[in-house]
Amino acid sequence: MYLGPTFVKLGQVVASSPGIFPNWLTQPARRCLDEAPPFDSELVRATVEQDLGVRIEDAFISFEDIPLSAASIGQVHGCVLNDGRDAVVKVQRPGLRDQMTMDLKVLYLVARVANKTKWGRSANPMGMVSDVSQLTARELNPVIEAWNQQRFRDHLWSYGDNTMITVPEVYWDYCGPSTICMERVSGIPMDHFEEIRARGLDGELVLRRGAKAWAEAVMVHGPFHGDMHAGNIWVLDDGRGCFLDFGIMGELTPEWRQVMRDIYYTCVFDRDFTRVATAYRSVGVFPPELGTDEEIGAAMAMIVEPMLVMGMASVNLGELITSSVTLMKDFGGTPPQELMLVGKQLLYIERYVRELAPDYAIITDPFIVKNIFPEAAKELAAKENVTYPE
Ligand SMILES: Nc1ncnc2c1ncn2[C@@H]1O[C@H](COP(=O)(O)OP(=O)(O)O)[C@@H](O)[C@H]1O
Ligand SMILES: [Mg+2]
């Protein structure tokens, strides 16, 4: 079944509104929405030619008409640039924006009607349509996507390590309003668990490296990958991990990045939850009358500490974050939507951990924070006999 791309976006908004729609509905809906018939290769060529202002023959030595992948939003074609570099172009479906404008008008009318029902008054469908419009403007823009890819890549190696993680280089000379051209990589998606094992690749190692790079983006650099399903996270033939698809990104404010660092530090190193309470208060997630930081910290410790002591492997971080967002809302706070996105990525990471490295306790691995808290991580690594991989 193929519905318009607007409905894919609507699915995303629905999926990030916990408690309004059940998971069993949102998960399969997305998958079926993403399967679109490919568009004609003539149309792909015409779009690329118009974008680049040159003929395909002049810009490329070769151009594959059969797409490597096709989705409702666009498709990816392999090619070889005229200087010999192996590349792909990710081309947005022509007319996509016009179609989405039409879809949004329809959705808006539906939302206006729904708003008058009992369900509508609590679920706020008008707000959802407005969210979809904003997401559309931001996420369905190949120029912004390419820019996000470039930024994530630039930050990736800023500490001088993460050499076994990569992001395809953007070839800006071959990009246009609907076209992203980038380095071609070769590998398999992260959830091809059998094949990863069959190839003799160390899944746990790829995971540790990837999680570290991603955690640095969330807690330090800012722009982080917000769509880490297995199709977008690859293990390359040479063993490197690779992030693909920067269509959905999140970015916490500097204050919230500090909150994340405080939470991480507390859970891993000293369990002083007063720090977490102070951090939360500084971003205004609970009202002043709730109690002192010490009181709230003690309450948090009571809930979280047993989980930490019981063995970190059993702590479901993604669940912890997504449910704490709901909790904050109950307290009348205003946690950023971004936090939900962080939680969802952690759920993906945890799924890969379960399959590839069931005994790996990601939250206490000092390697993850070796750049963020170098001294404390070094001490813990020495105590626990953990060595840092490349
Ligand atoms: N740089 C690349 N090298 C090789 N294959 C790629 C590259 N980028 C994308 N692909 C292929 O295209 C698929 C879809 O790319 P992606 O950026 O995730 O697009 P979408 O936004 O449609 O999900 C990937 O899963 C992969 O198979
Ligand atoms: Mg993708």
Side-chain angles (χ1 to χ4, degrees), residues 242-255:
C242 179
F243 289 88
L244 292 175
D245 193 354
F246 296 80
I248 301 178
M249 297 286 286
E251 181 165 354
L252 296 172
T253 60
E255 293 76 27

Side-chain angles (χ1 to χ4, degrees), residues 166-238:
T166 193
V167 169
E169 183 182 351
V170 178
Y171 296 148
W172 286 103
D173 289 348
Y174 296 79
C175 290
S178 304
T179 308
I180 305 171
C181 183
M182 69 184 99
E183 172 188 0
R184 184 173 186 163
V185 294
S186 171
I188 50 174
M190 194 74 194
D191 67 348
H192 286 204
F193 303 121
E194 283 310 317
E195 194 168 350
I196 290 174
R197 277 186 280 267
R199 288 184 178 198
L201 293 164
D202 187 342
E204 176 172 320
L205 192 53
V206 180
L207 255 174
R208 289 177 77 194
R209 290 166 170 156
K212 168 175 174 291
W214 182 80
E216 288 171 357
V218 172
M219 290 193 270
V220 180
H221 306 311
F224 63 88
H225 197 292
D227 193 15
M228 300 215 290
H229 69 74
N232 294 338
I233 309 293
W234 278 30
V235 186
L236 302 188
D237 297 342
D238 62 11

Side-chain angles (χ1 to χ4, degrees), residues 85-142:
R85 282 178 292 179
D86 268 330
V88 303
V89 287
K90 183 171 174 180
V91 184
Q92 189 168 76
R93 185 175 285 269
L96 185 91
R97 294 200 152 233
D98 294 342
Q99 198 201 329
M100 299 214 38
T101 311
M102 291 288 293
D103 291 348
L104 281 168
K105 282 183 184 161
V106 175
L107 277 181
Y108 180 75
L109 291 175
V110 174
R112 256 177 60 176
V113 175
N115 217 26
K116 299 199 167 74
T117 65
K118 186 157 169 271
W119 172 84
R121 274 188 294 276
S122 67
N124 186 17
M126 302 282 269
M128 280 188 216
V129 175
S130 132
D131 285 355
V132 173
S133 306
Q134 274 181 29
L135 278 177
T136 306
R138 208 179 53 189
E139 289 171 355
L140 290 186
N141 186 334

